[in-house]
Amino acid sequence: MEPSEYRAIYTVEDRHWWYVGMQAITEAMVETLYPGRTDLRILDAGCGTGAAVAYLSRFGAVTGCDVSSLALEFCQARGLSALGQASVMALPFAPATFDLVTSFDVLYHRAVGDYHVALRDFRRVLRPGGRVLLRLPAHDWLRGGHDTVIHTARRFTTRQVADSLRETGFAVERLSYANTLLFPLALAKRLLERATPGGPPARSDIASNPAWLDTVLARPLRIEAAWLRRWALPIGLTVVAVGRAIP
C-alpha cells in the first residue's frame, strides 16, 4: 500500500461510510458467533491503523499486528499498545493463543504472496475450535484505479475463499458477499473509469466526504449487517467468511 494511503485511512476511517458500515457488519457477525462474550482473546492480523482493534475490544483482549511500522504508529496515536510488527505470513505468537483471528482486507495484497501460508499460520495460533473472520475484496473484474494504489494482487469469489479455508484446515461456518445494496453504483463507477481514455486513474477511493453523504451511504451497510446475522447475500463488492479451526 502507498504510504499516503495509511494517513488517508487514519484520517477518515472513524466516520467514512465504508468503514462505519464494515464495522457494523463485523460487530454483527462477532455478536452472532460469540453472544454475550467479553473474554475473547483476539488477534487482528494486518491491523492497519487500528480502528478494528479499538472496536473489537468490547469482545475481549485484542492484539494488533501489522508489517508496516507506519501503520503501527497510527495505532499508537489511537492509544493502542497491544501491538506487534510482523507479517501475516509469520506471526510471532505461540500455537493455540487466540480464540478469534480477524483479517480485514489483507490477504488480497501483493506483499502477502501465497495467502494460504497466512491462513495456515492463522490456524496455528488459534485454539482448538477457534475461528478466523475474513473480509476480502470481491471479483477480479471489479478492479479499478483504487486497486493500483492499494497494491491489489487478487480479488476473490466466495468459492475461492471457501476452497482456501478448507485447504488450510478450516471448516466453513459462514460465507457471504457484502456491500450488495450499493453494488450497482460501484459497478457503474468502475465502468465509467474504464471508459476513460488511458484507463482508470490510479486514485484512491478513500477520501473525506460530507457528513450527510457518509450517513446516507452507511445506511445500506447497516441494513446488511442485520441481514447477515442470519442469512447470506448472493453478490457484492466484498466477501466475508468465517472458518472454524479443525482439531
Side-chain angles (χ1 to χ4, degrees):
M1 186 184 296
E2 296 296 326
S4 59
E5 195 70 0
Y6 286 114
R7 180 169 296 278
I9 292 169
Y10 176 75
T11 301
V12 305
E13 68 181 328
D14 292 326
R15 63 179 186 277
H16 189 281
W17 64 270
W18 190 86
Y19 290 103
V20 170
M22 288 300 155
Q23 176 179 343
I25 288 171
T26 299
E27 290 180 324
M29 296 190 76
V30 177
E31 287 167 358
T32 301
L33 293 169
Y34 299 102
R37 293 286 296 275
T38 60
D39 60 344
L40 298 174
R41 296 196 66 182
I42 301 171
L43 171 66
D44 189 23
C47 63
T49 61
V53 175
Y55 67 68
L56 286 170
S57 64
R58 71 185 182 91
F59 298 104
V62 187
T63 300
C65 179
D66 203 281
V67 73
S68 168
S69 59
L70 179 58
L72 295 175
E73 287 176 13
F74 285 118
C75 289
Q76 291 169 340
R78 290 182 179 277
L80 303 173
S81 58
L83 303 168
Q85 184 173 2
S87 167
V88 296
M89 308 285 280
L91 297 170
F93 305 105
T97 299
F98 299 100
D99 302 297
L100 174 67
V101 173
T102 60
S103 185
F104 301 138
D105 298 292
V106 175
L107 301 185
Y108 74 88
H109 200 281
R110 73 187 187 201
V112 170
D114 183 0
Y115 62 91
H116 295 87
V117 174
L119 288 173
R120 291 188 184 97
D121 216 31
F122 293 171
R123 183 180 179 277
R124 179 186 65 83
V125 302
L126 281 169
R127 293 172 174 173
R131 293 180 171 103
V132 61
L133 171 57
L134 302 175
R135 185 177 73 225
L136 294 160
H139 304 301
D140 206 57
W141 49 268
L142 280 172
R143 281 177 177 266
H146 180 70
D147 290 287
T148 301
V149 174
I150 63 173
H151 299 176
T152 297
R154 61 192 73 85
R155 297 173 71 101
F156 293 81
T157 65
T158 51
R159 176 175 291 183
Q160 288 171 326
V161 174
D163 288 346
S164 295
L165 285 170
R166 294 185 183 110
E167 289 170 17
T168 53
F170 292 94
V172 179
E173 284 195 337
R174 298 289 309 276
L175 187 66
S176 181
Y177 288 103
N179 207 346
T180 299
L181 297 175
L182 295 174
F183 184 85
L185 291 177
L187 178 59
K189 181 178 183 293
R190 289 292 186 252
L191 293 174
L192 285 172
E193 286 179 348
R194 292 174 188 177
T196 302
R203 184 173 59 227
S204 174
D205 289 342
I206 302 302
S208 183
N209 298 315
W212 68 265
L213 182 60
D214 280 329
T215 299
V216 169
L217 293 178
R219 192 167 297 144
L221 293 174
R222 292 185 187 279
I223 293 170
E224 292 182 21
W227 178 271
L228 287 168
R229 288 178 180 273
R230 297 185 63 184
W231 302 288
L233 292 163
I235 195 168
L237 301 169
T238 297
V239 176
V240 290
V242 176
R244 179 184 282 273
I246 299 173

